[in-house]
Amino acid sequence: MRTAPLQGETTSSLICRIASRYGLEAKALRSYWHWRNHQPKHESGATRADAEVLLNAAGRQILAGLCGIEEDVLARALPSWAREEATLPAEGDGVPTAVWRVGGVVAGPVAFGCRLCAAQRTGTAVQVVRYAPRWGRVCARHGQWLLDADADQPHEHLDVRHLPEVIAAQWRWTGVVRRAVRAGAEPERVFALAHAIVARWWDQALTGSGRRSGRGACTR
């Protein structure tokens, strides 16, 4: 059975989806690899949704066979595909080996994917975890603000279907990027500045501090 990767998906997420297609628990499928360490967990003992898997060459061949997808396709879709390190066996070892890492230190911020989008692509509404910058977290099609996968909490998204301004802002971001590039500014820094300003407004609204100065700043 073919299980195609989603763009930007973590290798760990793909392994879990493959196991689901075969009617197995993920830990049963993971027995195909020799593991060098233990799966990352939160202080509470819960497994981390943003846990990532790095594979050596033999391990990547095993994964390609299990999902029925060519290795070059997996390489384009999975950001961690070619990430190796010294703890993995050499190229010619032949032992399919894997090592656990936290996704955020492998290829950037990790968030949950939209289950409804995943269902349209794969036919099954299962959990998906993928690398995604924080300015691309709103699924405008289904009205979901997808949350970071590194937190020890059960929620995958916020429902923003009744907040059209949030969805509109996501659609406008592409234009913001173009204008930032033309002005010689990095889009990442533009977003970071906007995020810091809005976070400050939220903090003032929650604590009640700086209301007068906040209103003045807005009117100016």
Side-chain angles (χ1 to χ4, degrees):
M1 291 185 291
R2 288 170 60 86
T3 305
L6 301 176
Q7 189 61 41
E9 189 173 8
T10 66
T11 301
S12 176
S13 173
L14 177 60
I15 291 173
C16 290
R17 290 200 300 111
I18 295 170
S20 178
R21 287 290 301 275
Y22 283 103
L24 300 172
E25 292 187 7
K27 63 180 180 181
L29 193 69
R30 289 197 289 262
S31 64
Y32 279 91
W33 293 275
H34 174 73
W35 294 87
R36 287 295 179 93
N37 60 350
H38 297 289
Q39 187 173 4
K41 294 185 177 182
H42 293 289
E43 292 184 1
S44 66
T47 56
R48 296 183 63 118
D50 65 335
E52 179 58 297
V53 174
L54 303 183
L55 304 171
N56 68 343
R60 293 194 293 270
Q61 290 176 359
I62 291 289
L63 182 59
L66 288 171
C67 65
I69 302 295
E70 296 77 8
E71 288 196 42
D72 60 333
V73 176
L74 293 171
R76 291 193 296 270
L78 306 178
S80 69
W81 181 254
R83 304 291 179 95
E84 292 196 21
E85 54 178 62
T87 57
L88 291 170
E91 185 78 18
D93 188 291
V95 178
T97 307
V99 61
W100 287 106
R101 289 290 179 262
V102 173
V105 301
V106 174
V110 181
F112 292 104
C114 174
R115 289 192 181 225
L116 298 177
C117 287
Q120 290 179 344
R121 287 281 307 278
T122 67
T124 307
V126 297
Q127 184 183 88
V128 174
V129 183
R130 55 189 291 269
Y131 293 95
R134 291 189 171 88
W135 54 80
R137 299 288 180 83
V138 175
C139 175
R141 176 178 298 174
H142 299 113
Q144 295 185 359
W145 190 331
L146 304 165
L147 301 177
D148 288 324
D150 62 354
D152 188 5
Q153 52 87 22
H155 303 292
E156 296 182 15
H157 71 272
L158 301 177
D159 187 346
V160 294
R161 287 175 296 175
H162 302 295
L163 296 172
E165 64 274 18
V166 174
I167 297 174
Q170 182 68 78
W171 285 118
R172 289 198 300 268
W173 173 249
T174 302
V176 174
V177 170
R178 288 198 297 266
R179 290 194 296 273
V181 172
R182 286 199 299 266
E186 297 178 357
E188 294 85 353
R189 298 189 64 182
V190 172
F191 179 84
L193 176 60
H195 181 272
I197 293 172
V198 174
R200 178 61 176 169
W201 288 344
W202 288 343
D203 181 64
Q204 290 177 349
L206 288 172
T207 62
S209 63
R211 289 179 178 172
R212 181 172 300 174
S213 60
R215 284 197 298 269
C218 289
T219 56
R220 287 196 293 271

